[in-house]
């Protein structure tokens, strides 16, 4: 396979511009949060307290309080700019990953740089989809931040020249396994952001707590965040289960055993078990939303370790992925 | 979804003792059991996650024997301690087994009551309404002109189909829920009636399927360690392999596998095609493609079939699979003794040690002179693309662009007669002395294909006849594979059902009006609940409220029309 270096160079340039655009989008999202928070101070407070103390309600999960207040205020202009920039960044990012794939004539995920950029793209695409279907601008800054950080680390630390694929990686099941892992990880990433926000909101909703800072006023109540984060985690968990199964099928094809306690396999299992614990914690008395959110945060820590740590620390069959 | 659950037969006794409607104390006990078991499950899951981690941080025998040996050398004091804790074989250690077993027991203990409860629930009427309907989502109330019995019958008939429906009469005596019996006459006209509706029982079905299938996976893994077998064998190009125990370089099998049952196949390696990266500097020398062309004879005497075995593409033989797990070089060497007699001729595999296939090996020639006194060993390196300069001899590329054998000579006792299990790749267990030149340095021989050199001390000559490759085949059989796959598919189906099907309940409570027209009209209340909170509940309840209103129309506005959503809880 001949590497197309002009495409590879274009991919590198695109990823840098995507990072810049995402960064500006993130700042615009923050500005939007601040101005929406200011404008909707009173409405927010009413809805937040109602949402926190009432029983399960049927209000639309993704509807942030204060949306109405921001419809025609100047806040919505900066909000629209933020959304547009984010979508633009996603487009550049997508183009970069596609160019990389075209340059090497294969799926772009054979080293840590490609893993990180493609993984971040999955998060962007997921959130872009959410932005187009739901009113979730308030979440933008908290999703753009991990994307920008990942792309920064990818280009600064993990960067690798475009090259061909090792024989063990040329398999249909690998493509299935890895692409589903990317989607699941994207769901877990957005779910993680929501869980962290939920824990922060819990702090400000406690009896006698200080009022939330302005940036958080446009963010929904902990109860709403919990419900939303559960949906993402649930979908992520099903896909992660599929990832494990597809990985086992791949391992059976490539190495003749479907499970071999290789470090990467072990960590995928640990992640799965901790997310299963999260699902159980939600219905365990005394754990409730807050305890479960902490378990979800721990599970995401395992996921990050699997993505970035395992390839560098351990040698196993999967080590060529690093 | 079509949850048209079969309602119990109308002649069911009004107070069936099998119904899980246990009353407040029974319900509490049921909840307590459930919550405690959830807590157990949670703790066990976290414990399993923690117990799994050390096996990825420390080298494991089952994954990499060499790494364990290296760890021993680097940490001579720590290693024996870790060894005693089973930390080099975590996944077969007793304490990991204990966590595994506990989870297994808890899972079984959890599933049995849940399955029983679910089966009973499947045939039972939806449960009665909570007392405070007005605190639930979608609460709506209005007055209907119909008397309660008629309103209840109409509503139940209209709602059935989309929901599974039960009818309850709320009396002061507990446990008299009349399932699905609009024919039962009320003992007291003033008691409210409740139409209870439910969808999404498949959610719990999915959950039960999921947990049962988890047991299937645990059993499959146990079966794998009992009944699977695996062996590794090297085969040189042009040579064959018969599937018998002695032919394997290493072989392991589960405790319950009888090695007499090995399938009697044979295989010949016709050629090995190997490709390395030679264009891209960044990945120079990286492996790109390995393909072994083989002929397989499934049973003795059967006609051979041709197969191509690649890294991701094993060949299947009678329940086993043959994988290409590695490759290397096997120089064909002739050795003649001092009398010119051919005492050795054959391909000798040299094992690659690094990415450029710098390989090591030893040519063992027993009984060099025929007197039974002295063996010869030629030990050293094979370099596929040799560079020999002042940095010493080494290989710079894995393909055979400039192949060289670099050997030292030793004589003595190879220890072959004593039947020791010495490796064919090293001189372990041999008692030999290296032949030195006058200056005291070991004599070393450098050979290119097609060349011969004389051995020192008139020991004879050695010829590097030609270069062949060898393939390392990994032959494995694991009968648990299909079981594990089937269980895994059920796990995913059950999981998706239990996470994505919303379980909804709705209640329509019909209370007779009080006052002058007692019992002639009704107060109708509608509310619902879902698990988990789902976005569709609001719409479903609105739809239900509309159906209810149509079946039991409100009192015309001029006659005291009340219809408003709840304002404060
Ligand atoms: C291999 C270990 C296990 C795994 C991977 C696992 C996984 C899961 C998952 C994914 C759910 C779905 C959560 C939801 O519906 O929101 C669940 C629910 C549940 N699990 Fe497990 N589980 C395991 C072991 C156990 C054990 C040992 C018990 C009982 C002692 C148990 C009891 C339950 C119960 C009661 C639920 C229903 C929770 C609810 O409906 O909210 N699980 N489990």
């Amino acid at each position: 396979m001949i590497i197309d270096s002009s495409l590879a160079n274009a991919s590198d340039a695109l990823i840098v511009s995507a990072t810049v655009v995402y960064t500006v989008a993130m700042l615009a999202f923050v500005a939007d949060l601040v101005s929406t928070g200011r404008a909707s101070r009173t409405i927010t407070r009413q809805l937040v307290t109602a949402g926190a103390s009432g029983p399960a309600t049927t209000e639309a999960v993704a509807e942030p309080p204060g949306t109405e207040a921001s419809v025609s205020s100047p806040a919505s202009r900066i909000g629209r700019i933020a959304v547009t920039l984010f979508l633009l960044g996603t487009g550049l990012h997508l183009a970069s990953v596609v160019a990389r794939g075209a340059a090497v004539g294969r799926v772009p995920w054979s080293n840590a740089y490609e893993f990180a950029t493609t993984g971040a793209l999955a998060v962007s695409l997921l959130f872009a989809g959410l932005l187009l279907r739901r009113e979730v601008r308030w979440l933008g800054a908290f999703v753009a931040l991990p994307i920008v950080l990942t792309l920064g680390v990818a280009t600064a630390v993990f960067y690798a020249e475009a090259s061909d694929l090792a024989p063990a990686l040329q398999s249909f099941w690998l493509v299935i396994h890895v692409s589903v892992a990317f989607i699941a990880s994207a769901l877990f990433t957005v779910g993680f952001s929501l869980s962290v926000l939920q824990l922060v909101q819990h702090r400000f909703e406690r009896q006698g707590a200080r009022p939330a800072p302005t940036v958080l006023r446009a963010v929904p109540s902990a109860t709403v965040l919990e419900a939303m984060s559960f949906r993402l985690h649930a979908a992520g968990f099903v896909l992660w289960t599929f990832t494990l199964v597809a990985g086992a099928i791949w391992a059976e094809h490539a190495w003749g055993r479907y499970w071999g306690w290789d470090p990467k396999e072990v960590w995928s299992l640990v992640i799965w078990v901790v997310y299963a614990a999260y699902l159980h914690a939600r219905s365990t008395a005394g754990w409730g939303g807050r305890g479960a959110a902490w378990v979800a945060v721990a599970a995401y820590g395992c996921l990050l370790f699997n993505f970035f740590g395992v390839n560098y620390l351990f040698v196993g069959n999967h080590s060529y992925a690093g | 979804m079509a949850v048209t659950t079969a309602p119990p037969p109308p002649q069911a006794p009004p107070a069936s003792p099998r119904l899980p409607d246990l009353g407040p104390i029974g319900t509490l006990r049921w909840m307590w059991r459930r919550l405690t078991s959830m807590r157990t499950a949670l703790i066990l899951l976290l414990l399993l996650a923690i117990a799994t981690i050390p096996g990825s941080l420390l080298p494991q025998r089952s994954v990499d024997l060499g790494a364990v040996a290296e760890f021993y050398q680097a940490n001579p004091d720590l290693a024996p301690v870790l060894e005693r804790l089973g930390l080099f074989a975590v996944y077969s250690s007793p304490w990991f087994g204990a966590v595994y077993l506990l989870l297994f027991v808890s899972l079984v203990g959890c599933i049995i009551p849940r399955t029983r409860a679910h089966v009973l629930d499947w045939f039972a009427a939806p449960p009665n309404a909570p007392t405070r309907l007005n605190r639930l989502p979608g609460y709506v109330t209005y007055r209907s002109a119909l008397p309660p019995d008629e309103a209840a019958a109409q509503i139940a008939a209209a709602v059935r189909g989309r929901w599974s429906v039960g009818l309850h009469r709320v009396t002061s005596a507990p446990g008299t829920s009349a399932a699905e019996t609009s024919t039962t006459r009320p003992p007291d006209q003033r008691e409210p009636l409740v139409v209870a509706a439910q969808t999404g029982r498949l959610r719990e079905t999915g959950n039960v399927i999921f947990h049962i299938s988890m047991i299937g996976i645990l059993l499959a893994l146990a079966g794998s360690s009992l009944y699977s077998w695996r062996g590794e064998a090297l085969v040189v190009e042009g040579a064959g392999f018969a599937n018998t125990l002695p032919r394997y370089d290493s072989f392991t099998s589960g405790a319950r596998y009888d090695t007499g049952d090995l399938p009697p196949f044979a295989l010949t390696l016709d050629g090995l095609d190997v490709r390395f990266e030679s264009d891209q500097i960044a990945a120079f020398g990286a492996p790109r493609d390995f393909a072994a062309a083989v002929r397989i004879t499934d049973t003795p005497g059967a006609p051979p079939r041709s197969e191509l075995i690649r890294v991701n593409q094993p060949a299947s033989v009678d329940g086993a699979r043959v994988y290409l797990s590695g490759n290397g070089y096997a120089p064909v060497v002739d050795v003649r003794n001092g009398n010119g007699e051919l005492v050795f001729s054959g391909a000798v595999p040299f094992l690659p040690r690094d990415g450029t296939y710098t390989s090591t090996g030893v040519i063992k020639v027993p009984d060099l002179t025929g007197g039974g006194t002295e063996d010869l060993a030629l030990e050293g390196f094979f370099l596929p693309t040799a560079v020999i300069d002042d940095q010493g001899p080494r290989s710079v590329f894995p393909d055979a662009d400039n192949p060289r054998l670099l050997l030292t000579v030793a004589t003595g006792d190879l220890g072959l007669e004593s039947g020791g299990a010495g490796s064919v790749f090293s001189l372990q267990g041999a008692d030999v002395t290296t032949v030195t030149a006058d200056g005291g340095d070991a004599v070393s021989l450098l050979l290119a294909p097609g060349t011969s050199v004389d051995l020192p001390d008139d020991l004879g000559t050695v010829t590097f006849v030609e270069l062949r490759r060898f393939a390392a085949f990994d032959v494995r059989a694991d009968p648990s594979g299909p079981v594990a796959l089937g269980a895994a598919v059920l796990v995913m189906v059950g999981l998706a059902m239990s996470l994505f099907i919303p379980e909804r309940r709705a209640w329509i409570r019909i209370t007779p009006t009080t006052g002058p027209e007692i019992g002639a009209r009704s107060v109708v209340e509608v509310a619902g609940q879902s698990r988990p909170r789902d976005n569709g509940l609001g719409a479903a309840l609105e739809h239900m409220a509309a159906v209810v209103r149509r079946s039991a129309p409100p009192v015309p506005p001029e006659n005291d029309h009340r219809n408003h959503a709840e304002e404060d809880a």
Side-chain angles (χ1 to χ4, degrees), chain A residues 230 234 237 241 272-273 275-280 282-284, chain B residues 33-42 44-45 48 102-111 114 203-204 207 210-211 214-215 218 491 494-495 497-500 503 531-532:
Chain A
F230 167 66
F237 187 74
T241 310
W272 187 76
V273 170
Y275 275 114
Y278 159 78
L279 293 176
H280 282 88
R282 283 184 80 248
S283 13
T284 302
Chain B
R33 260 208 311 266
R34 199 183 118 138
L35 294 181
T36 47
S37 68
M38 277 308 275
R39 173 152 305 193
T40 320
L42 177 59
L44 285 176
L45 282 171
L48 177 71
L102 265 177
L103 194 71
F104 190 93
V105 170
S106 159
L107 206 50
V108 173
C110 198
I111 286 169
R114 265 174 89 87
R203 177 189 183 84
E204 178 68 6
N207 195 295
F210 171 84
H211 285 87
M214 275 310 301
I215 293 201
L218 296 183
V491 157
L495 190 60
M497 285 168 71
S498 96
L499 287 174
F500 299 141
E503 190 175 288
R531 192 174 69 111

Side-chain angles (χ1 to χ4, degrees), chain B residues 394-425:
Chain B
R394 63 195 188 279
S395 174
V396 294
F397 190 71
D399 220 341
D401 290 342
N402 184 29
R404 290 289 184 276
L405 265 175
L406 185 65
L407 302 170
T408 60
V409 184
T411 53
D413 179 11
L414 287 173
L416 296 178
E417 291 84 9
S418 58
S423 161
V424 293
F425 303 109

Side-chain angles (χ1 to χ4, degrees), chain B residues 430-448:
Chain B
D431 179 17
V432 292
T433 8
T434 307
V435 179
T436 53
D438 295 341
D441 290 337
V443 173
S444 68
L445 315 172
L446 187 66
L447 290 119

Side-chain angles (χ1 to χ4, degrees), chain B residues 213-556:
Chain B
S213 311
M214 275 310 301
I215 293 201
I217 290 192
L218 296 183
L219 286 177
L221 283 171
S224 167
S225 68
L226 286 179
Y227 293 102
S228 63
W229 59 270
R230 165 189 182 192
E232 273 186 311
L234 294 189
V235 183
V236 178
E237 278 177 311
F241 162 83
N243 190 33
T244 52
L245 210 46
R247 186 58 183 81
Y248 283 108
D249 297 315
S250 71
F251 187 89
T252 50
S253 62
R256 293 300 198 80
Y257 187 74
D258 178 0
T259 50
D261 292 341
L262 281 175
F265 71 88
L267 164 160
T268 308
L269 178 63
D270 287 333
L272 187 66
D273 187 28
V274 175
R275 222 160 45 76
F276 297 99
E277 181 62 59
S278 56
D279 295 330
Q280 296 160 35
I281 302 304
F284 192 70
R288 286 303 175 227
D289 191 26
F290 302 138
V294 297
R295 263 176 301 143
I296 295 176
T297 315
D298 290 281
T299 46
R305 60 189 162 99
S306 292
E307 295 265 0
L308 200 60
I309 303 180
R310 289 202 151 91
V311 172
N312 276 320
Q313 194 185 309
S316 297
V317 200
D318 196 6
R321 283 184 173 176
V322 184
Y323 292 84
L324 179 59
S325 64
N327 66 83
Y329 294 95
V332 178
V333 176
D334 284 353
V335 179
R336 288 169 198 276
N337 64 15
N339 305 328
E341 296 160 345
L342 184 65
V343 287
F344 180 91
S345 177
V348 183
F350 276 58
L351 291 186
R353 297 295 173 192
D354 58 24
T356 54
Y357 280 50
T358 300
S359 310
T360 58
V362 54
I363 301 157
K364 294 183 178 179
V365 185
D367 198 8
L368 182 65
T369 52
T373 50
E374 200 178 44
D375 300 332
L376 172 75
L378 301 167
E379 190 190 17
F381 293 95
F382 171 76
L383 312 169
T385 303
V387 170
I388 295 168
D389 55 19
D390 42 3
Q391 287 176 41
R394 63 195 188 279
S395 174
V396 294
F397 190 71
D399 220 341
D401 290 342
N402 184 29
R404 290 289 184 276
L405 265 175
L406 185 65
L407 302 170
T408 60
V409 184
T411 53
D413 179 11
L414 287 173
L416 296 178
E417 291 84 9
S418 58
S423 161
V424 293
F425 303 109
S426 76
L427 281 176
Q428 225 174 348
D431 179 17
V432 292
T433 8
T434 307
V435 179
T436 53
D438 295 341
D441 290 337
V443 173
S444 68
L445 315 172
L446 187 66
L447 290 119
T451 62
S452 300
V453 290
D454 287 338
L455 294 170
D457 301 346
D458 294 327
L459 287 167
T461 56
V462 55
T463 311
F464 184 172
V465 180
E466 60 169 329
L467 183 61
R468 290 195 196 157
R469 293 180 195 271
F470 73 80
F473 289 114
D474 204 354
V475 188
R476 295 171 180 253
D478 186 348
S480 75
V483 180
L485 184 62
V489 168
L490 284 178
V491 157
M492 288 188 289
V493 171
L495 190 60
M497 285 168 71
S498 96
L499 287 174
F500 299 141
I501 295 178
E503 190 175 288
R504 294 175 186 157
R505 285 177 180 171
W507 293 279
I508 302 109
R509 184 159 58 202
I510 303 141
T511 317
T513 47
T514 46
E517 296 173 281
I518 181 162
R521 292 180 170 185
S522 323
V523 176
V524 179
E525 297 165 283
V526 182
Q529 210 174 30
S530 70
R531 192 174 69 111
R533 273 160 63 107
D534 74 282
N535 287 337
L537 179 67
L541 289 177
E542 263 170 44
H543 181 264
M544 165 166 273
V547 171
V548 167
R549 219 179 271 272
R550 234 177 292 132
S551 341
V555 182

